Amino acid sequence: MRKSAIERNTNETQISLELNIDGEGQSKLETGVPFMSHMLDLFAKHGQFDLTVQATGDTEVDDHHTTEDIGICLGQVFREALGDKRGIKRYGSAIVPMDEALAQVVVDLSNRPHFEMKGSLPSAKVGTFDTELVHEFLWKLALEARINLHVIIHYGYNTHHIIEAVFKALARALDEASTIDPRIKGVPSTKGML
């Protein structure tokens, strides 16, 4: 089983996070940021990842530090859980509708971090959650997991639906990219390493 865990303690957040890439879509989440918990629950379910997150942070200020640090931790454990990447498909993509919204995510588990996000979120907030934090979370995830992550929001007018489609597509793309393909010998790169 490809698993990893991390504890991160700063003056702003305290986070304990565990990930099993080869899971069953189970999650146990206490983030202190309800909308982020909802998105992580979707991420686990649609990626077939087992994910446990226990986080506390300075949410009396705002949700920025907690959301960012969860992204950092998730990226680090995903990278560690992948191990040497032998036999993985490496690339993954998914296009997911959520009612009127359509989002696409394309990933390369390349060990070369890059992040692009095209499209817009119509509202600055969903409930109490600042939607600009979606970009912050995804960028830190890509950076720490050392993946090439492209997010394209094709259309939609309900911000909750758009973000939900993004997280579901992210999960499905990462699931595909991290899947072991028995036809692949070694790592899927002409360089001989990722």
Side-chain angles (χ1 to χ4, degrees), residues 40-92:
L40 291 173
D41 187 39
L42 297 169
F43 173 80
K45 177 62 77 176
H46 291 275
Q48 292 298 301
F49 306 127
D50 290 343
L51 177 64
T52 301
V53 181
Q54 178 73 48
T56 57
D58 57 356
T59 53
E60 70 280 1
V61 175
D62 65 12
D63 296 335
H64 184 107
H65 296 137
T66 304
T67 301
E68 178 182 29
D69 287 5
I70 291 172
I72 289 169
C73 290
L74 183 58
Q76 289 176 354
V77 296
F78 192 85
R79 181 180 180 204
E80 185 173 300
L82 280 174
D84 61 12
K85 301 181 184 175
R86 296 176 67 83
I88 65 166
K89 288 187 174 182
R90 178 178 167 178
Y91 299 98

Side-chain angles (χ1 to χ4, degrees), residues 35 38-39 42 96 98 159-169:
F35 186 76
H38 179 38
M39 293 303 107
L42 297 169
V96 171
M98 176 63 194
T159 304
H160 186 132
H161 292 168
I162 294 169
I163 297 170
E164 187 164 325
V166 167
F167 272 80
K168 287 176 178 177

